[in-house]
Amino acid sequence: PPEGTKIAYPHPIPSVAVSPDGRMMAFVAADSKSGDNSLYVEAMNGTVAQHMDNTSGAFGPFWSPDSKFIGYFSSDKVMRIPVTGGTPQTVCEIKGGVLGTWEPGGVILFGQGLGPVMRVSAEGGKPTAVTAPDEKKHLADVAPDFLPDGKHFLFLRESTQAGGEPAAVYVGSLDSSEAKLL
């Protein structure tokens, strides 16, 4: 990490994401004195990380499919910023977000910690549910990750504490809230 920082580990959210083209990584580092998290970008063959201005409180970075933007979470928002820097944009407001994925058609999916996987346009808008967990059996659908077709995605369906089904990986689709157990 850059001098005066340490890699942030807000468990269970990953702090490092490799770009789809494999040339860069985005990571969250915390200021050693204040503990404030910020987003950084570094070339995979580089040794100097670029601080992304105005990304205070960042966590859970993820990439646009073209490797030109980094999505991340901050407070109760999904954000995006060009890899070249600039002003971050608010994609949407959320009730807590963890782990995002971005498909070539401009759809971002993210888990909320509780409830369904949510869908929103990368250009911004109001998020809508794309999965439908049974609240009596499942606590949350989290950690979505698009498959190569850009329409289907994997996600983890977490169990409720008492009497729910075991946590398992499911396949979902942008076209339906139905999910298939892997």
Side-chain angles (χ1 to χ4, degrees), residues 11-153:
H11 181 76
I13 304 161
S15 295
V16 178
V18 176
S19 64
D21 65 10
R23 296 179 17 186
M24 297 171 281
M25 68 176 154
F27 63 93
V28 177
D31 182 277
S32 296
K33 292 180 183 174
S34 70
D36 186 40
N37 290 353
S38 291
L39 193 61
Y40 290 80
V41 176
E42 185 171 338
M44 292 299 276
N45 63 354
T47 58
V48 178
Q50 173 189 348
H51 178 260
M52 305 301 282
D53 292 336
N54 303 308
T55 59
S56 179
F59 65 95
F62 58 96
W63 286 86
S64 66
D66 62 7
S67 301
K68 292 182 179 180
F69 290 88
I70 304 163
Y72 64 97
F73 300 94
S74 182
S75 298
D76 290 333
K77 296 177 183 170
V78 176
M79 305 291 292
R80 68 181 233 170
I81 188 168
V83 71
T84 55
T87 303
Q89 283 184 296
T90 299
V91 175
C92 66
E93 295 198 9
I94 58 175
K95 297 177 185 174
V98 292
L99 302 173
T101 186
W102 191 331
E103 62 88 40
V107 172
I108 291 175
L109 298 181
F110 60 92
Q112 301 181 98
L114 293 174
V117 169
M118 302 299 285
R119 168 189 183 151
V120 68
S121 167
E123 297 300 317
K126 184 176 178 173
T128 57
V130 71
T131 64
D134 181 338
E135 293 177 11
K136 293 177 185 169
K137 297 178 183 177
H138 306 112
L139 182 64
D141 290 347
V142 296
D145 195 14
F146 274 109
L147 294 171
D149 70 0
K151 184 178 284 190
H152 294 90
F153 57 93

